Amino acid sequence: MARYGMALDYKNCINCRACETACKAENGILPGKDNYRIWIGQKEAEGEWPNISIVSQTYHPSQCQHCDNAPCQQVCPTNATYYDENRVVRVDPERCILCTYCINACPYDARYVDDRTVTVDKCNFCSDTRLANGETTTACQATCPTKVRTFGDLDDPNSEISQLLKTREYKQVKEHLGTKPKLFYLI
Amino acid sequence: MNELSIKELFRFEKTPLNLLIAILTVGLLGIFVAGATYYFIHGHHAFNVTRQHPWGLLIAMYVFFVVSSTGLCIISSIGHVFEVKEFQVIGKRAIAGAIITLLSGFAVIALEVGHPVRMLIYNVLTPGFTSAIWWMGTLYGIYLVFITFEFFFLTIKENHKWAKIFGIGGLLAGLAAHSNLGAVFGFLISRPTANGVFYPVYFILSAMITGCYLIYIIYGFKYKNSYPANIKAMLLKLNKILGMLLGILIFFEAWKIITALYGTMPERAETILHVIKSPTFIFGEVILGMLIPFIVILFSNAKAIKPMVYVSLAGMVGIFFMRYDLVHDTLIYPMDTLKRSEYQLPPTFIEYFPSATEFAIGFGGIGITLLLFYIAEKVFNLDVDTKH
């Protein structure tokens, strides 16, 4: 059994949004402004014309952090949100009652209501699409032209992601909340 | 129980106030049915809730109803559980009110939760013991059973011993359920303004205040401000209790705001500063919900009975805004961290205004309360019996 996580070399992101498109195509995400599993954020450039700091403008690809201590999982009244055998935080649409408590509890705004199943949906690292078919990459990773994302097993010391996290410094989002996120932003 | 025919059920004294309440009840029930129908056709798209603001008016109205239920249960327990003589007169009517408001709350929440039937099944099959919603729902179920039996032994079987046993059970289950409802918000580590011990305690306090307001409204309407001596004695004592509770609430609220603002902690201080400048807080929560009733009690030396009936109506409007703000204020700070982009303005406080369907279902729930109360008054003898 693995413990999947993702490292993001976010300074390489060129904001092409191919990952967003690949995610929607792979996982059949419906159109609509609230319907997305992953997104690209942008930190605005600092300074005023003409002294604008170009390097201060960065793009931040993001998605569900697959927290090891996920608030969304704790608050679910029917255990519809669960950790699968690879410690991926997933939603069982059969058990989801759409109380949307998990959407309130997620500090990362990673969840939304999926009109296909009328339950809450989120990124699952392509577990039921690509990983279930024996693939070892997620759609967003496979499509990225600048290789921002590295997906893999954090418990395997020889995996590419484990090696990256040993050799590079990284930051995490809202880790002070004790959520133990498994998305690592390489510095 | 009273003998009742269909004809008798629709017979009431045709005073202007009674007619107004009758029209209001029918109107509210009508909009509830219309709202429910629209919801069944369009699902959650009938509501103005979004990814950023997933809870709205219906959650607020659910809290409003169950706060009323718990409040009535707590206030009635002063009489038939703690045996304070003056309060024994309200036992039956208050417990009937507690059952009715709880059922109204369940009717509203059943239309908010996307899969209520699935909820009943999986709450049992795969219970989430770390979920405050699971505990709240389960404890409210137990509470309903207790207060139903309590009502049975107060009104139908008239067995004071068993009524007291179920009354104690109902009181404990109600307190546990209601503080868990506060914990639904208090456990949210993602929302610094809600996270913490405040809401579980505040919910019980505001429930007691709601119970007092409702007792004034119910008895004011029943006796048209001309009270027998035993009711007058109860309402006078209630004045003092309500005054003290309001004083504690104002004290709590003040310290909640001061501690939230102090040190300008990011996210929490900005949110609270935004909240205390909003009209729903100033006019709804503070002026209508707390200050007007408190001032009336204070300046009447806790002897205001007639004014308190009208002031309690204002108080209940204030309580509604407390419930609405509770939900809205928890969610207004945007969670879309790192989501600024050239296509999107930097995050600002999230805006929400309920849809017509939400208004119809939420306020229509009051129609259910009024109808069930009318039926309860017709079917049962809710006045005090001589055995007490």
Side-chain angles (χ1 to χ4, degrees), chain A residues 41-42 74-75 78 93 101 118, chain B residues 115 118 126 130-131 184 338 340:
Chain A
Q42 178 182 334
Q74 290 168 7
V75 302
T78 56
Y101 194 17
V118 198
Chain B
H115 304 286
R118 195 183 291 178
T126 57
T130 54
S131 170
V184 167
L338 306 181
R340 297 172 189 217

Side-chain angles (χ1 to χ4, degrees), chain B residues 254-269:
Chain B
W255 277 109
K256 178 201 163 191
I257 292 165
I258 294 165
T259 48
L261 292 175
Y262 188 82
T264 59
M265 182 179 153
E267 200 168 322
R268 193 171 70 168

